[in-house]
Amino acid sequence: MSEPLKIGLLSFAHVHAAGYAMQLQGRDDVTLLTADPDHADSAPGELRGRPLADELGVSYVDTYDELFEWGPDAVVVVSENSRHRQLVERAAAAGAHVLCEKPLATTVPDGEAMIAACAAANVNLMTAYPVRFHPAFRALRDRVRAGELGTVLSASGTNNGIIPIAARRWFADPVLAGGGSLMDHTVHLADLLDDLLEARAVSVYAQSNRIVHEEVDVETGGLVVVHYADGTVATIDCSWSRPATYPTWGGLTLNIEGANGSVSFDAFGQAASGYDDTAGKAISLSYGPDLDALMVAEFLASIREGRVPSPDGEGGLRTLQIVAAGYESARTGQPVPVAS
Amino acid sequence: MSRPLAVGVVGAGGIAHPHADAWHALGAQITIYSADAAAPALAERYGGTAVYSMAELIASCEVVDVCTPTFVHDEIVLAAAAAGKHVVCEKPLARTHRQAVEMIEACENAGRQLYPGQVVRFFPEYAAAKRAVDSGRIGQPAILRFSRRGAAPLQPWFSDVGASGGILLDQMIHDLDYARWVAGDVERVYAQITGGDGKPTTAYVVLTHESGALSHVTGGWGHPNTVFRTTFSLAGSTGLIEHDSIRNPPLAWDLADSGSAGGTLLPSMDFAESPFLTELREFAAAFSGGPAPRVSAADGLAALDIGLAALESARTGRAVSPKEIAR
């Protein structure tokens, strides 16, 4: 076996950071080093920085300078959304491949700059879309592409969850997050459709509201309709509309309608359910595949094999362009074209 | 009812059956007129009398129940109002806004009542969810999702948008009306229709309510064996209510020779009171001076305007206000 890859995990800001850290720590082909220097910005009570690293049992340094001096082969960027660009550009300058949390950035120009920086440095840029690695989605994609549904006509998806502010307050910070549920929860489904249809989004209609958790400063509910160049119409419900007593964080579903039939995908449907008087909350026991593991495996394989990962930065940018058009549509009340 | 209510059912197609069945259960005296030859069979099945002209029907009844295709609702309702009859009219109330307004005005001017057959308000699962929302169980409605799928109707007038309004006006008006009942008036409608021309039809409508709530409505007219299925999900500021018609059956059979389970336009109404009976009982009580039913002609018009806005949106690709339709 070749030398372990040196992977740096940049920031513990995102709720997915701990999962990625454990994923990487558990692999014997990786040496992991983490840093979370901006943890002082976090809301009171959030476990960040060295205390979280200690709890996870992962190596930690106090600054990004120390982490980059270590000479990582690759980094995983799990900062607040608006801070992705600076970290990705720094990683590219250091010659490190990048796996960047979704959304790729909070603005299209930031996303374009990140892609350009990684291209100039000849390093991989992958966008963290774990759901497309679900074996059931792979089967769906393969069978739809093989024509089992006939022509794909339309799709509707939901990515609904509990608002993530209890764990990480910045998710409702308009600057750090770049928005609310529309920014957070449109892109997973947009990525699945990007993978499935292999067609460009041409226009977007979106509406948003802030009724669930009206006290925050960003939208918490949203409905998005995307038109693709191949004629497919897809709707995405990106709402943080699960109540606090929901048994899990939320879920993701996608229904595809074709000329010869339809197919429904429930990414987190593999779960046993029950009741728990002690917790006062319903039980949900997920036994589905470890999507993070499959995604991280692709990132590492792309580095070892010297090839472009999938989904790449361009995929991240295409989905971000849909979100950007969605915000413009929600503002104007009419469909808007997607910049390309 | 102290004395039998005399009801004249116009039309003897699919929807006339649950109506005639319900009127029979209510002890009404039923006459049936249909422009085709189907009235006698319906009359025989539900204990009514077939008549052979509109004039004969109107002379025979106190209440006219309009179960015809949409595009002739207006002429029948106007004739009924002119003769001083109360009216039940199947949904959608009419094919155009102007027709519906004329129908409402004619009944008002005649001092007679008019109720639209927005029967989903009377389905027990939808009625229970509405009561729960009204009692605050989910807080303020925020994101509402509805779906309704069944086999594509076979009679050609359903797929003739000029006659029926197509899937948006004929089928999805159920959920458009219910969404408005739960979350209030609608200020913006965006709609897309896919498929058709022999392929399954799927339509999506996004409603922006004046309250800020958003509704996502899916309608499907599928292949002939499509199992009829409705779902709803009502997410509010403090709670969530969900229902799926195929996940909550009181009985589920698995037989070696089951034949086809699909192909119906109407949901199974076994083991609960027919929502059509609940609906027509409430209307009949109002005709006899009882309380106002849970749905009014104005509600029927408002649902129609949302549906017409959806049609206009699907045609133009723009978001449309129901107020534009009402102009």
Side-chain angles (χ1 to χ4, degrees):
Chain A
M1 182 155 170
S2 52
E3 282 291 297
L5 288 169
K6 295 164 74 174
I7 308 287
L9 187 84
L10 307 185
S11 178
F12 292 149
H14 199 281
V15 291
H16 295 161
Y20 297 157
M22 296 313 294
Q23 193 58 240
L24 292 161
Q25 180 78 354
R27 297 184 64 109
D28 56 13
D29 59 351
V30 163
T31 305
L32 175 66
L33 184 62
T34 67
D36 187 25
D38 295 329
H39 65 84
D41 296 354
S42 60
E46 294 181 5
L47 186 59
R48 297 270 304 261
R50 190 175 289 280
L52 177 55
D54 289 346
E55 183 173 295
L56 297 171
V58 298
S59 302
Y60 183 86
V61 289
D62 290 317
T63 65
Y64 291 138
D65 288 342
E66 292 167 83
L67 192 141
F68 280 106
E69 282 162 17
W70 174 61
D73 298 302
V75 298
V76 183
V77 174
V78 213
S79 65
E80 300 87 345
N81 299 341
S82 67
R83 292 172 172 165
H84 288 176
R85 176 178 173 174
Q86 64 199 60
L87 292 175
V88 170
E89 287 178 338
R90 182 161 184 187
H97 301 287
V98 180
L99 171 60
C100 184
E101 183 53 54
K102 48 59 56 176
L104 184 64
T106 56
T107 69
V108 169
D110 276 3
E112 289 169 340
M114 291 156 66
I115 290 169
C118 290
N122 198 29
V123 296
N124 283 352
L125 173 58
M126 180 175 178
T127 311
Y129 285 132
V131 186
R132 70 152 66 188
F133 293 93
H134 198 302
F137 179 74
R138 293 283 164 129
L140 180 156
R141 187 194 62 184
D142 292 348
R143 291 174 63 172
V144 169
R145 281 193 190 165
E148 282 195 50
L149 289 186
T151 308
V152 172
L153 302 170
S154 68
S156 61
T158 64
N159 187 189
N160 298 145
I162 301 174
I163 189 170
I165 53 175
R168 292 291 186 260
R169 186 73 207 173
W170 68 264
F171 272 89
D173 181 314
V175 174
L176 290 174
S181 59
L182 204 60
M183 182 61 76
D184 189 39
H185 269 187
T186 304
V187 291
H188 281 296
L189 283 158
D191 177 62
L192 297 184
L193 292 162
D194 187 78
D195 191 24
L196 178 73
L197 301 174
E198 298 180 296
R200 296 287 303 210
V202 293
S203 76
V204 174
Y205 177 74
Q207 295 282 275
S208 66
N209 67 19
R210 196 181 63 205
I211 295 173
V212 179
H213 285 277
E214 62 176 356
E215 76 281 5
V216 302
D217 295 327
V218 293
E219 79 284 351
T220 56
L223 298 175
V224 182
V225 185
V226 186
H227 294 251
Y228 290 88
D230 65 357
T232 305
V233 176
T235 75
I236 296 173
D237 181 341
C238 61
S239 306
W240 287 331
S241 55
R242 302 298 91 160
T245 47
Y246 201 72
T248 69
W249 64 269
L252 182 146
T253 68
L254 178 61
N255 186 73
I256 311 286
E257 301 285 340
N260 299 339
S262 65
V263 59
S264 294
F265 169 55
D266 182 351
F268 301 94
Q270 291 159 294
S273 59
Y275 305 89
D276 180 344
D277 285 350
T278 309
K281 196 168 173 175
I283 295 170
S284 179
L285 304 175
S286 173
Y287 56 87
D290 186 338
L291 304 180
D292 287 349
L294 296 167
M295 178 181 74
V296 166
E298 161 67 7
F299 178 57
L300 299 177
S302 76
I303 296 168
R304 292 198 187 278
E305 296 164 15
R307 61 172 173 82
V308 174
S310 180
D312 61 5
E314 296 286 352
L317 182 64
R318 289 193 295 275
T319 49
L320 179 60
Q321 285 166 334
I322 290 171
V323 174
Y327 276 107
E328 178 66 6
S329 174
R331 191 181 68 76
T332 63
Q334 290 295 341
V336 302
V338 177
S340 60
Chain B
M1 270 172 263
S2 50
R3 80 183 157 76
L5 184 69
V7 176
V9 176
V10 188
I15 202 66
H17 284 260
H19 279 248
D21 193 23
W23 287 125
H24 179 66
L26 291 168
Q29 174 195 313
I30 307 168
T31 52
I32 303 172
Y33 167 70
S34 178
D36 61 19
L42 193 72
E44 185 174 0
R45 184 164 172 184
Y46 299 104
T49 306
V51 296
Y52 297 92
S53 70
M54 267 304 291
E56 218 182 326
L57 182 109
I58 283 179
S60 73
C61 67
E62 306 150 74
V63 173
V64 173
D65 180 4
V66 184
C67 295
T68 64
T70 305
F71 58 93
V72 290
H73 282 183
D74 63 324
E75 59 187 79
I76 298 167
V77 172
L78 294 178
K85 310 299 179 184
H86 296 304
V87 181
V88 176
C89 182
E90 256 306 327
K91 43 53 58 181
L93 190 55
R95 176 59 186 83
T96 71
H97 174 82
R98 179 172 297 277
Q99 288 170 348
V101 168
E102 285 175 7
M103 290 155 59
I104 291 170
E105 287 176 353
C107 290
E108 275 175 4
N109 292 340
R112 292 296 179 268
Q113 300 173 42
L114 166 65
Y115 299 116
Q118 298 289 168
V119 72
V120 166
R121 295 189 184 209
F122 299 85
F123 273 71
E125 64 273 39
Y126 288 84
K130 164 68 173 166
R131 283 193 300 273
V133 171
D134 286 352
S135 66
R137 294 291 297 275
I138 64 166
Q140 192 186 345
I143 305 287
L144 314 180
R145 298 183 65 84
F146 305 94
S147 75
R148 185 170 300 272
R149 291 167 195 279
L154 296 175
Q155 291 80 359
W157 72 270
F158 281 107
S159 56
D160 176 351
V161 173
S164 71
I167 192 168
L168 291 169
L169 217 53
D170 190 76
Q171 186 222 47
M172 296 172 74
I173 197 158
H174 285 302
D175 295 297
L176 301 178
D177 172 63
Y178 185 79
R180 176 179 167 272
W181 198 33
V182 170
D185 279 328
V186 169
E187 68 176 29
R188 189 174 299 127
V189 182
Y190 184 74
Q192 287 291 311
I193 306 173
T194 64
D197 290 329
K199 295 189 281 286
T201 298
T202 300
Y204 302 111
V205 178
V206 174
L207 304 180
T208 307
H209 298 264
E210 289 175 359
S211 66
L214 299 173
S215 289
H216 182 284
V217 184
T218 303
W221 274 348
H223 55 77
N225 288 329
T226 304
V227 175
F228 190 90
R229 181 181 188 181
T230 63
T231 67
F232 62 78
S233 164
L234 313 178
S237 54
T238 60
L240 172 69
I241 297 170
E242 296 180 307
H243 184 265
D244 182 335
S245 62
I246 69 169
R247 287 196 185 150
N248 305 86
L251 273 185
W253 298 88
D254 181 8
L255 303 177
D257 183 16
S258 61
S260 167
T264 58
L265 287 177
L266 296 171
S268 163
M269 293 173 292
D270 296 342
F271 314 115
E273 177 171 284
S274 159
F276 293 94
L277 175 54
T278 316
E279 174 189 65
L280 295 177
R281 183 193 294 117
E282 206 164 294
F283 293 166
F287 295 143
S288 310
R294 71 190 75 175
V295 63
S296 68
D299 292 327
L301 175 60
L304 175 65
D305 286 345
I306 297 169
L308 292 169
L311 269 175
E312 179 69 1
S313 173
R315 189 180 70 80
T316 62
R318 297 185 59 76
V320 175
S321 165
K323 290 196 178 72
E324 294 176 41
I325 300 301
R327 249 179 234 134

